[in-house]
């Protein structure tokens, strides 16, 4: 995934706000699976799907995250309450500057997708 697009989708100040809110990766109880992907890379892939309002299967391979992984993380983050916590953090944080509206749009898209998705 090109660094320039990645930084536009998730600018550094937004990532600094999001990173501590994302729940830690939990390995599957039955074992197996792969090493967890970089959190920012996965969050960026989820942001792409949310803001394009496309199907998870339409996630371009250039993100380096499979559509299934992106969807599973989105569902786990939705269950964990990430999006309402992020919305509170966006409202309270003045350091986002011009990225504040973008961050709010991401959260709104996530909340909307979470309401529409039975798996989330």
């Amino acid at each position: 995934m090109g660094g320039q697009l990645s930084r536009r989708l998730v600018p550094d100040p937004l990532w600094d706000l999001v990173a501590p809110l994302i729940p830690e990766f939990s390995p599957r109880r039955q074992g197996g699976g792969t090493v967890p992907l970089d959190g920012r890379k996965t969050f960026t892939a989820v942001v792409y799907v949310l803001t394009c309002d496309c199907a998870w299967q339409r996630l371009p391979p250039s993100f380096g995250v499979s559509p299934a992984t992106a969807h599973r993380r989105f569902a786990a983050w939705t269950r964990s309450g990430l999006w309402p916590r992020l919305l509170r953090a966006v409202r309270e944080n003045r350091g986002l500057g011009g990225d504040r509206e973008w961050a709010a749009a991401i959260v709104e898209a996530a909340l909307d997708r979470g309401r529409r998705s039975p798996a989330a």
Side-chain angles (χ1 to χ4, degrees):
M1 168 75 220
Q4 188 173 10
L5 177 57
S6 177
R7 298 282 185 220
R8 287 185 75 189
L9 288 171
V10 183
D12 290 338
L14 175 56
W15 177 245
D16 292 343
L17 188 65
V18 172
L21 300 176
I22 292 179
E24 283 191 41
F25 175 79
S26 303
R28 297 185 313 181
R29 285 178 279 154
Q30 73 270 29
T34 59
V35 176
L37 293 171
D38 172 73
R40 186 173 187 161
K41 179 187 278 193
T42 307
F43 185 77
T44 302
V46 168
V47 166
Y48 176 84
V49 171
L50 292 174
T51 57
C52 289
D53 196 28
C54 65
W56 294 101
Q57 295 80 5
R58 297 280 186 195
L59 177 67
S62 58
F63 280 89
V65 176
S66 75
T69 295
H71 180 258
R72 275 194 307 272
R73 286 301 161 81
F74 169 75
W77 293 340
T78 298
R79 285 189 305 270
S80 76
L82 170 65
W83 309 114
R85 286 194 317 273
L86 180 55
L87 184 58
R88 276 191 303 278
V90 166
R91 288 178 177 159
E92 294 169 1
N93 189 299
R94 302 286 178 214
L96 287 174
D99 295 325
R100 191 173 188 177
E101 286 182 26
W102 175 242
I106 291 167
V107 172
E108 186 56 42
L111 291 170
D112 184 54
R113 177 75 64 116
R115 285 188 290 266
R116 292 185 286 143
S117 175

